[in-house]
PDB file of all heavy atoms in Angstrom:
ATOM      1  N   ILE C 824       0.862  -1.182  -0.007  1.00  0.00           N
ATOM      2  CA  ILE C 824       0.013  -0.060   0.006  1.00  0.00           C
ATOM      3  C   ILE C 824       0.883   1.179   0.026  1.00  0.00           C
ATOM      4  O   ILE C 824       1.887   1.284   0.710  1.00  0.00           O
ATOM      5  CB  ILE C 824      -0.947  -0.035   1.210  1.00  0.00           C
ATOM      6  CG1 ILE C 824      -2.048   1.060   1.121  1.00  0.00           C
ATOM      7  CG2 ILE C 824      -0.241   0.033   2.515  1.00  0.00           C
ATOM      8  CD1 ILE C 824      -3.231   0.758   2.032  1.00  0.00           C
ATOM      9  N   ASP C 825       0.502   2.202  -0.788  1.00  0.00           N
ATOM     10  CA  ASP C 825       1.388   3.444  -0.892  1.00  0.00           C
ATOM     11  C   ASP C 825       0.769   4.507   0.025  1.00  0.00           C
ATOM     12  O   ASP C 825      -0.316   4.407   0.556  1.00  0.00           O
ATOM     13  CB  ASP C 825       1.480   3.823  -2.332  1.00  0.00           C
ATOM     14  CG  ASP C 825       0.184   4.265  -2.939  1.00  0.00           C
ATOM     15  OD1 ASP C 825      -0.817   3.986  -2.340  1.00  0.00           O
ATOM     16  OD2 ASP C 825       0.256   4.892  -4.019  1.00  0.00           O
ATOM     17  N   GLY C 826       1.508   5.661   0.035  1.00  0.00           N
ATOM     18  CA  GLY C 826       1.100   6.802   0.901  1.00  0.00           C
ATOM     19  C   GLY C 826      -0.148   7.440   0.505  1.00  0.00           C
ATOM     20  O   GLY C 826      -0.896   7.913   1.290  1.00  0.00           O
ATOM     21  N   ARG C 827      -0.430   7.513  -0.822  1.00  0.00           N
ATOM     22  CA  ARG C 827      -1.619   8.118  -1.280  1.00  0.00           C
ATOM     23  C   ARG C 827      -2.860   7.322  -0.813  1.00  0.00           C
ATOM     24  O   ARG C 827      -3.870   7.965  -0.375  1.00  0.00           O
ATOM     25  CB  ARG C 827      -1.610   8.241  -2.858  1.00  0.00           C
ATOM     26  CG  ARG C 827      -2.638   9.199  -3.402  1.00  0.00           C
ATOM     27  CD  ARG C 827      -2.544   9.278  -4.880  1.00  0.00           C
ATOM     28  NE  ARG C 827      -1.263   9.850  -5.312  1.00  0.00           N
ATOM     29  CZ  ARG C 827      -0.770   9.694  -6.516  1.00  0.00           C
ATOM     30  NH1 ARG C 827      -1.450   9.121  -7.471  1.00  0.00           N
ATOM     31  NH2 ARG C 827       0.461  10.183  -6.821  1.00  0.00           N
ATOM     32  N   THR C 828      -2.772   6.072  -0.874  1.00  0.00           N
ATOM     33  CA  THR C 828      -3.808   5.220  -0.451  1.00  0.00           C
ATOM     34  C   THR C 828      -3.999   5.271   1.055  1.00  0.00           C
ATOM     35  O   THR C 828      -5.133   5.299   1.626  1.00  0.00           O
ATOM     36  CB  THR C 828      -3.599   3.707  -0.841  1.00  0.00           C
ATOM     37  OG1 THR C 828      -3.341   3.641  -2.255  1.00  0.00           O
ATOM     38  CG2 THR C 828      -4.838   2.898  -0.617  1.00  0.00           C
ATOM     39  N   LEU C 829      -2.926   5.373   1.793  1.00  0.00           N
ATOM     40  CA  LEU C 829      -2.973   5.486   3.257  1.00  0.00           C
ATOM     41  C   LEU C 829      -3.698   6.850   3.576  1.00  0.00           C
ATOM     42  O   LEU C 829      -4.439   6.863   4.613  1.00  0.00           O
ATOM     43  CB  LEU C 829      -1.641   5.489   3.815  1.00  0.00           C
ATOM     44  CG  LEU C 829      -0.959   4.137   4.155  1.00  0.00           C
ATOM     45  CD1 LEU C 829       0.451   4.295   4.554  1.00  0.00           C
ATOM     46  CD2 LEU C 829      -1.794   3.258   5.097  1.00  0.00           C
ATOM     47  N   ASN C 830      -3.515   7.875   2.828  1.00  0.00           N
ATOM     48  CA  ASN C 830      -4.148   9.175   3.031  1.00  0.00           C
ATOM     49  C   ASN C 830      -5.667   9.044   2.945  1.00  0.00           C
ATOM     50  O   ASN C 830      -6.395   9.521   3.743  1.00  0.00           O
ATOM     51  CB  ASN C 830      -3.637  10.153   1.989  1.00  0.00           C
ATOM     52  CG  ASN C 830      -3.142  11.398   2.638  1.00  0.00           C
ATOM     53  OD1 ASN C 830      -3.198  11.583   3.926  1.00  0.00           O
ATOM     54  ND2 ASN C 830      -2.705  12.348   1.768  1.00  0.00           N
ATOM     55  N   ILE C 831      -6.103   8.275   1.891  1.00  0.00           N
ATOM     56  CA  ILE C 831      -7.527   8.039   1.660  1.00  0.00           C
ATOM     57  C   ILE C 831      -8.076   7.190   2.891  1.00  0.00           C
ATOM     58  O   ILE C 831      -9.205   7.527   3.324  1.00  0.00           O
ATOM     59  CB  ILE C 831      -7.797   7.367   0.325  1.00  0.00           C
ATOM     60  CG1 ILE C 831      -7.371   8.216  -0.848  1.00  0.00           C
ATOM     61  CG2 ILE C 831      -9.217   6.886   0.197  1.00  0.00           C
ATOM     62  CD1 ILE C 831      -7.298   7.546  -2.175  1.00  0.00           C
ATOM     63  N   ILE C 832      -7.367   6.245   3.290  1.00  0.00           N
ATOM     64  CA  ILE C 832      -7.807   5.349   4.446  1.00  0.00           C
ATOM     65  C   ILE C 832      -8.028   6.208   5.728  1.00  0.00           C
ATOM     66  O   ILE C 832      -9.045   6.048   6.362  1.00  0.00           O
ATOM     67  CB  ILE C 832      -6.860   4.191   4.626  1.00  0.00           C
ATOM     68  CG1 ILE C 832      -6.919   3.230   3.487  1.00  0.00           C
ATOM     69  CG2 ILE C 832      -7.138   3.516   5.994  1.00  0.00           C
ATOM     70  CD1 ILE C 832      -5.870   2.183   3.558  1.00  0.00           C
ATOM     71  N   PHE C 833      -7.036   7.020   6.063  1.00  0.00           N
ATOM     72  CA  PHE C 833      -7.084   7.757   7.347  1.00  0.00           C
ATOM     73  C   PHE C 833      -8.032   8.925   7.266  1.00  0.00           C
ATOM     74  O   PHE C 833      -8.739   9.250   8.202  1.00  0.00           O
ATOM     75  CB  PHE C 833      -5.643   8.289   7.674  1.00  0.00           C
ATOM     76  CG  PHE C 833      -4.846   7.170   8.180  1.00  0.00           C
ATOM     77  CD1 PHE C 833      -3.500   6.910   7.604  1.00  0.00           C
ATOM     78  CD2 PHE C 833      -5.137   6.357   9.282  1.00  0.00           C
ATOM     79  CE1 PHE C 833      -2.701   5.928   8.090  1.00  0.00           C
ATOM     80  CE2 PHE C 833      -4.391   5.352   9.711  1.00  0.00           C
ATOM     81  CZ  PHE C 833      -3.147   5.102   9.064  1.00  0.00           C
ATOM     82  N   GLN C 834      -8.219   9.556   6.124  1.00  0.00           N
ATOM     83  CA  GLN C 834      -9.141  10.712   5.967  1.00  0.00           C
ATOM     84  C   GLN C 834     -10.592  10.184   5.796  1.00  0.00           C
ATOM     85  O   GLN C 834     -11.527  10.870   6.186  1.00  0.00           O
ATOM     86  CB  GLN C 834      -8.773  11.546   4.836  1.00  0.00           C
ATOM     87  CG  GLN C 834      -7.550  12.333   5.103  1.00  0.00           C
ATOM     88  CD  GLN C 834      -7.040  13.156   3.894  1.00  0.00           C
ATOM     89  OE1 GLN C 834      -7.624  13.132   2.850  1.00  0.00           O
ATOM     90  NE2 GLN C 834      -6.063  13.978   4.167  1.00  0.00           N
ATOM     91  N   GLY C 835     -10.805   8.994   5.193  1.00  0.00           N
ATOM     92  CA  GLY C 835     -12.109   8.460   4.896  1.00  0.00           C
ATOM     93  C   GLY C 835     -12.618   7.593   6.014  1.00  0.00           C
ATOM     94  O   GLY C 835     -13.779   7.138   5.879  1.00  0.00           O
ATOM     95  N   GLY C 836     -11.933   7.422   7.111  1.00  0.00           N
ATOM     96  CA  GLY C 836     -12.453   6.619   8.182  1.00  0.00           C
ATOM     97  C   GLY C 836     -12.521   5.122   7.894  1.00  0.00           C
ATOM     98  O   GLY C 836     -13.430   4.417   8.275  1.00  0.00           O
ATOM     99  N   LEU C 837     -11.571   4.644   7.029  1.00  0.00           N
ATOM    100  CA  LEU C 837     -11.623   3.260   6.601  1.00  0.00           C
ATOM    101  C   LEU C 837     -10.552   2.371   7.371  1.00  0.00           C
ATOM    102  O   LEU C 837     -10.133   1.384   6.817  1.00  0.00           O
ATOM    103  CB  LEU C 837     -11.267   3.175   5.105  1.00  0.00           C
ATOM    104  CG  LEU C 837     -12.250   3.957   4.170  1.00  0.00           C
ATOM    105  CD1 LEU C 837     -11.726   4.053   2.775  1.00  0.00           C
ATOM    106  CD2 LEU C 837     -13.633   3.308   4.221  1.00  0.00           C
ATOM    107  N   GLU C 838     -10.227   2.811   8.590  1.00  0.00           N
ATOM    108  CA  GLU C 838      -9.222   2.141   9.330  1.00  0.00           C
ATOM    109  C   GLU C 838      -9.576   0.673   9.657  1.00  0.00           C
ATOM    110  O   GLU C 838      -8.732  -0.192   9.576  1.00  0.00           O
ATOM    111  CB  GLU C 838      -8.892   2.863  10.646  1.00  0.00           C
ATOM    112  CG  GLU C 838      -8.130   4.159  10.539  1.00  0.00           C
ATOM    113  CD  GLU C 838      -9.127   5.399  10.447  1.00  0.00           C
ATOM    114  OE1 GLU C 838     -10.353   5.170  10.430  1.00  0.00           O
ATOM    115  OE2 GLU C 838      -8.685   6.495  10.489  1.00  0.00           O
ATOM    116  N   GLU C 839     -10.842   0.446  10.015  1.00  0.00           N
ATOM    117  CA  GLU C 839     -11.315  -0.921  10.339  1.00  0.00           C
ATOM    118  C   GLU C 839     -11.217  -1.910   9.145  1.00  0.00           C
ATOM    119  O   GLU C 839     -10.764  -2.997   9.234  1.00  0.00           O
ATOM    120  CB  GLU C 839     -12.717  -0.945  10.924  1.00  0.00           C
ATOM    121  CG  GLU C 839     -12.766  -0.532  12.365  1.00  0.00           C
ATOM    122  CD  GLU C 839     -12.729   0.981  12.609  1.00  0.00           C
ATOM    123  OE1 GLU C 839     -13.097   1.702  11.619  1.00  0.00           O
ATOM    124  OE2 GLU C 839     -12.318   1.490  13.669  1.00  0.00           O
ATOM    125  N   LYS C 840     -11.568  -1.374   8.007  1.00  0.00           N
ATOM    126  CA  LYS C 840     -11.556  -2.178   6.784  1.00  0.00           C
ATOM    127  C   LYS C 840     -10.137  -2.474   6.421  1.00  0.00           C
ATOM    128  O   LYS C 840      -9.792  -3.560   5.934  1.00  0.00           O
ATOM    129  CB  LYS C 840     -12.302  -1.485   5.637  1.00  0.00           C
ATOM    130  CG  LYS C 840     -13.792  -1.425   5.883  1.00  0.00           C
ATOM    131  CD  LYS C 840     -14.526  -0.996   4.700  1.00  0.00           C
ATOM    132  CE  LYS C 840     -15.994  -0.829   5.088  1.00  0.00           C
ATOM    133  NZ  LYS C 840     -16.926  -1.273   4.081  1.00  0.00           N
ATOM    134  N   PHE C 841      -9.174  -1.475   6.576  1.00  0.00           N
ATOM    135  CA  PHE C 841      -7.802  -1.633   6.291  1.00  0.00           C
ATOM    136  C   PHE C 841      -7.211  -2.753   7.210  1.00  0.00           C
ATOM    137  O   PHE C 841      -6.512  -3.648   6.782  1.00  0.00           O
ATOM    138  CB  PHE C 841      -7.084  -0.306   6.435  1.00  0.00           C
ATOM    139  CG  PHE C 841      -5.606  -0.448   6.408  1.00  0.00           C
ATOM    140  CD1 PHE C 841      -4.986  -0.883   5.300  1.00  0.00           C
ATOM    141  CD2 PHE C 841      -4.827  -0.167   7.483  1.00  0.00           C
ATOM    142  CE1 PHE C 841      -3.575  -1.051   5.213  1.00  0.00           C
ATOM    143  CE2 PHE C 841      -3.421  -0.200   7.488  1.00  0.00           C
ATOM    144  CZ  PHE C 841      -2.812  -0.681   6.387  1.00  0.00           C
ATOM    145  N   LEU C 842      -7.593  -2.680   8.496  1.00  0.00           N
ATOM    146  CA  LEU C 842      -7.104  -3.652   9.414  1.00  0.00           C
ATOM    147  C   LEU C 842      -7.659  -5.070   9.143  1.00  0.00           C
ATOM    148  O   LEU C 842      -6.931  -6.091   9.199  1.00  0.00           O
ATOM    149  CB  LEU C 842      -7.446  -3.305  10.810  1.00  0.00           C
ATOM    150  CG  LEU C 842      -6.552  -2.219  11.470  1.00  0.00           C
ATOM    151  CD1 LEU C 842      -7.052  -1.845  12.828  1.00  0.00           C
ATOM    152  CD2 LEU C 842      -5.125  -2.777  11.606  1.00  0.00           C
ATOM    153  N   GLU C 843      -8.915  -5.147   8.685  1.00  0.00           N
ATOM    154  CA  GLU C 843      -9.533  -6.498   8.318  1.00  0.00           C
ATOM    155  C   GLU C 843      -8.729  -7.027   7.161  1.00  0.00           C
ATOM    156  O   GLU C 843      -8.412  -8.206   7.135  1.00  0.00           O
ATOM    157  CB  GLU C 843     -10.958  -6.295   7.889  1.00  0.00           C
ATOM    158  CG  GLU C 843     -11.899  -6.162   9.127  1.00  0.00           C
ATOM    159  CD  GLU C 843     -13.386  -5.990   8.602  1.00  0.00           C
ATOM    160  OE1 GLU C 843     -13.720  -6.587   7.593  1.00  0.00           O
ATOM    161  OE2 GLU C 843     -14.043  -5.167   9.279  1.00  0.00           O
ATOM    162  N   LEU C 844      -8.452  -6.215   6.155  1.00  0.00           N
ATOM    163  CA  LEU C 844      -7.667  -6.672   5.015  1.00  0.00           C
ATOM    164  C   LEU C 844      -6.222  -7.037   5.404  1.00  0.00           C
ATOM    165  O   LEU C 844      -5.730  -8.073   4.937  1.00  0.00           O
ATOM    166  CB  LEU C 844      -7.648  -5.584   3.891  1.00  0.00           C
ATOM    167  CG  LEU C 844      -6.885  -5.878   2.648  1.00  0.00           C
ATOM    168  CD1 LEU C 844      -7.494  -7.096   1.925  1.00  0.00           C
ATOM    169  CD2 LEU C 844      -6.857  -4.735   1.707  1.00  0.00           C
ATOM    170  N   ALA C 845      -5.651  -6.241   6.241  1.00  0.00           N
ATOM    171  CA  ALA C 845      -4.275  -6.569   6.635  1.00  0.00           C
ATOM    172  C   ALA C 845      -4.130  -7.806   7.497  1.00  0.00           C
ATOM    173  O   ALA C 845      -3.177  -8.510   7.367  1.00  0.00           O
ATOM    174  CB  ALA C 845      -3.683  -5.340   7.449  1.00  0.00           C
ATOM    175  N   ARG C 846      -5.144  -8.125   8.263  1.00  0.00           N
ATOM    176  CA  ARG C 846      -5.143  -9.341   9.045  1.00  0.00           C
ATOM    177  C   ARG C 846      -5.188 -10.649   8.178  1.00  0.00           C
ATOM    178  O   ARG C 846      -4.779 -11.669   8.543  1.00  0.00           O
ATOM    179  CB  ARG C 846      -6.349  -9.369  10.027  1.00  0.00           C
ATOM    180  CG  ARG C 846      -6.130  -8.357  11.131  1.00  0.00           C
ATOM    181  CD  ARG C 846      -7.341  -8.401  12.071  1.00  0.00           C
ATOM    182  NE  ARG C 846      -6.886  -9.246  13.207  1.00  0.00           N
ATOM    183  CZ  ARG C 846      -7.696  -9.359  14.259  1.00  0.00           C
ATOM    184  NH1 ARG C 846      -8.838  -8.895  14.261  1.00  0.00           N
ATOM    185  NH2 ARG C 846      -7.253 -10.026  15.307  1.00  0.00           N
ATOM    186  N   LEU C 847      -5.721 -10.490   7.027  1.00  0.00           N
ATOM    187  CA  LEU C 847      -5.818 -11.627   6.101  1.00  0.00           C
ATOM    188  C   LEU C 847      -4.521 -11.862   5.390  1.00  0.00           C
ATOM    189  O   LEU C 847      -4.327 -12.923   4.755  1.00  0.00           O
ATOM    190  CB  LEU C 847      -6.925 -11.436   5.109  1.00  0.00           C
ATOM    191  CG  LEU C 847      -8.350 -11.250   5.646  1.00  0.00           C
ATOM    192  CD1 LEU C 847      -9.360 -10.942   4.536  1.00  0.00           C
ATOM    193  CD2 LEU C 847      -8.759 -12.561   6.326  1.00  0.00           C
ATOM    194  N   CYS C 848      -3.581 -10.873   5.408  1.00  0.00           N
ATOM    195  CA  CYS C 848      -2.356 -11.075   4.724  1.00  0.00           C
ATOM    196  C   CYS C 848      -1.178 -11.484   5.656  1.00  0.00           C
ATOM    197  O   CYS C 848      -1.227 -11.270   6.848  1.00  0.00           O
ATOM    198  CB  CYS C 848      -1.942  -9.685   4.110  1.00  0.00           C
ATOM    199  SG  CYS C 848      -3.162  -9.114   2.965  1.00  0.00           S
ATOM    200  N   ARG C 849      -0.253 -12.203   4.995  1.00  0.00           N
ATOM    201  CA  ARG C 849       0.932 -12.620   5.797  1.00  0.00           C
ATOM    202  C   ARG C 849       1.906 -11.493   6.081  1.00  0.00           C
ATOM    203  O   ARG C 849       2.627 -11.468   7.091  1.00  0.00           O
ATOM    204  CB  ARG C 849       1.670 -13.766   5.108  1.00  0.00           C
ATOM    205  CG  ARG C 849       0.854 -15.045   5.117  1.00  0.00           C
ATOM    206  CD  ARG C 849       1.559 -16.149   4.499  1.00  0.00           C
ATOM    207  NE  ARG C 849       2.758 -16.497   5.326  1.00  0.00           N
ATOM    208  CZ  ARG C 849       3.585 -17.424   5.111  1.00  0.00           C
ATOM    209  NH1 ARG C 849       3.454 -18.189   4.012  1.00  0.00           N
ATOM    210  NH2 ARG C 849       4.572 -17.685   5.891  1.00  0.00           N
ATOM    211  N   SER C 850       1.949 -10.534   5.105  1.00  0.00           N
ATOM    212  CA  SER C 850       2.812  -9.336   5.340  1.00  0.00           C
ATOM    213  C   SER C 850       2.197  -8.164   4.676  1.00  0.00           C
ATOM    214  O   SER C 850       1.429  -8.284   3.755  1.00  0.00           O
ATOM    215  CB  SER C 850       4.224  -9.654   4.698  1.00  0.00           C
ATOM    216  OG  SER C 850       4.092  -9.807   3.394  1.00  0.00           O
ATOM    217  N   VAL C 851       2.451  -7.010   5.303  1.00  0.00           N
ATOM    218  CA  VAL C 851       1.866  -5.745   4.799  1.00  0.00           C
ATOM    219  C   VAL C 851       3.106  -4.735   4.630  1.00  0.00           C
ATOM    220  O   VAL C 851       3.863  -4.586   5.591  1.00  0.00           O
ATOM    221  CB  VAL C 851       0.842  -5.110   5.747  1.00  0.00           C
ATOM    222  CG1 VAL C 851       0.333  -3.765   5.278  1.00  0.00           C
ATOM    223  CG2 VAL C 851      -0.283  -6.103   5.956  1.00  0.00           C
ATOM    224  N   LEU C 852       3.203  -4.159   3.462  1.00  0.00           N
ATOM    225  CA  LEU C 852       4.337  -3.248   3.195  1.00  0.00           C
ATOM    226  C   LEU C 852       3.728  -1.881   2.841  1.00  0.00           C
ATOM    227  O   LEU C 852       2.909  -1.793   1.903  1.00  0.00           O
ATOM    228  CB  LEU C 852       5.150  -3.770   2.049  1.00  0.00           C
ATOM    229  CG  LEU C 852       6.289  -2.910   1.521  1.00  0.00           C
ATOM    230  CD1 LEU C 852       7.303  -2.860   2.667  1.00  0.00           C
ATOM    231  CD2 LEU C 852       6.863  -3.415   0.297  1.00  0.00           C
ATOM    232  N   CYS C 853       4.018  -0.890   3.652  1.00  0.00           N
ATOM    233  CA  CYS C 853       3.604   0.451   3.407  1.00  0.00           C
ATOM    234  C   CYS C 853       4.838   1.157   2.752  1.00  0.00           C
ATOM    235  O   CYS C 853       5.837   1.388   3.362  1.00  0.00           O
ATOM    236  CB  CYS C 853       3.231   1.190   4.610  1.00  0.00           C
ATOM    237  SG  CYS C 853       1.821   0.438   5.440  1.00  0.00           S
ATOM    238  N   CYS C 854       4.689   1.648   1.470  1.00  0.00           N
ATOM    239  CA  CYS C 854       5.762   2.277   0.809  1.00  0.00           C
ATOM    240  C   CYS C 854       5.355   3.739   0.379  1.00  0.00           C
ATOM    241  O   CYS C 854       4.182   4.050   0.322  1.00  0.00           O
ATOM    242  CB  CYS C 854       6.190   1.485  -0.406  1.00  0.00           C
ATOM    243  SG  CYS C 854       4.883   1.312  -1.686  1.00  0.00           S
ATOM    244  N   CYS C 855       6.370   4.497   0.178  1.00  0.00           N
ATOM    245  CA  CYS C 855       6.205   5.948  -0.334  1.00  0.00           C
ATOM    246  C   CYS C 855       5.216   6.693   0.662  1.00  0.00           C
ATOM    247  O   CYS C 855       4.324   7.360   0.238  1.00  0.00           O
ATOM    248  CB  CYS C 855       5.693   5.978  -1.643  1.00  0.00           C
ATOM    249  SG  CYS C 855       6.771   5.211  -2.893  1.00  0.00           S
ATOM    250  N   SER C 856       5.381   6.433   1.925  1.00  0.00           N
ATOM    251  CA  SER C 856       4.492   7.134   2.906  1.00  0.00           C
ATOM    252  C   SER C 856       5.348   8.141   3.717  1.00  0.00           C
ATOM    253  O   SER C 856       6.516   8.059   3.855  1.00  0.00           O
ATOM    254  CB  SER C 856       3.859   6.093   3.860  1.00  0.00           C
ATOM    255  OG  SER C 856       4.834   5.321   4.474  1.00  0.00           O
ATOM    256  N   THR C 857       4.585   9.097   4.222  1.00  0.00           N
ATOM    257  CA  THR C 857       5.216  10.113   5.081  1.00  0.00           C
ATOM    258  C   THR C 857       5.518   9.620   6.457  1.00  0.00           C
ATOM    259  O   THR C 857       4.937   8.614   6.878  1.00  0.00           O
ATOM    260  CB  THR C 857       4.261  11.390   5.150  1.00  0.00           C
ATOM    261  OG1 THR C 857       3.137  11.018   5.930  1.00  0.00           O
ATOM    262  CG2 THR C 857       3.850  11.902   3.813  1.00  0.00           C
ATOM    263  N   PRO C 858       6.400  10.310   7.160  1.00  0.00           N
ATOM    264  CA  PRO C 858       6.630   9.878   8.618  1.00  0.00           C
ATOM    265  C   PRO C 858       5.398   9.886   9.490  1.00  0.00           C
ATOM    266  O   PRO C 858       5.207   9.019  10.288  1.00  0.00           O
ATOM    267  CB  PRO C 858       7.644  10.928   9.054  1.00  0.00           C
ATOM    268  CG  PRO C 858       8.259  11.440   7.916  1.00  0.00           C
ATOM    269  CD  PRO C 858       7.291  11.394   6.782  1.00  0.00           C
ATOM    270  N   LEU C 859       4.462  10.820   9.268  1.00  0.00           N
ATOM    271  CA  LEU C 859       3.230  10.863   9.996  1.00  0.00           C
ATOM    272  C   LEU C 859       2.308   9.589   9.683  1.00  0.00           C
ATOM    273  O   LEU C 859       1.800   9.044  10.607  1.00  0.00           O
ATOM    274  CB  LEU C 859       2.507  12.101   9.751  1.00  0.00           C
ATOM    275  CG  LEU C 859       1.114  12.331  10.469  1.00  0.00           C
ATOM    276  CD1 LEU C 859       1.376  12.359  11.972  1.00  0.00           C
ATOM    277  CD2 LEU C 859       0.421  13.575   9.966  1.00  0.00           C
TER     278      LEU C 859
END
């Protein structure tokens, strides 16, 4: 997942759906994201 998509997730209130998807994966890689 990239920084632009993380922006949409955090601003759109999609944190629970992101966590549900992440729990189904063996590894999650966040790339091109800001320190925040």
Side-chain angles (χ1 to χ4, degrees):
I824 191 164
D825 65 346
R827 196 178 298 164
T828 310
L829 280 174
N830 233 1
I831 295 168
I832 289 170
F833 287 124
Q834 289 176 355
L837 303 170
E838 290 95 350
E839 281 81 22
K840 292 191 183 217
F841 170 64
L842 282 175
E843 283 179 35
L844 179 62
R846 289 180 101 175
L847 297 173
C848 301
R849 289 183 68 181
S850 63
V851 178
L852 177 68
C853 299
C854 60
C855 301
S856 55
T857 65
L859 180 62

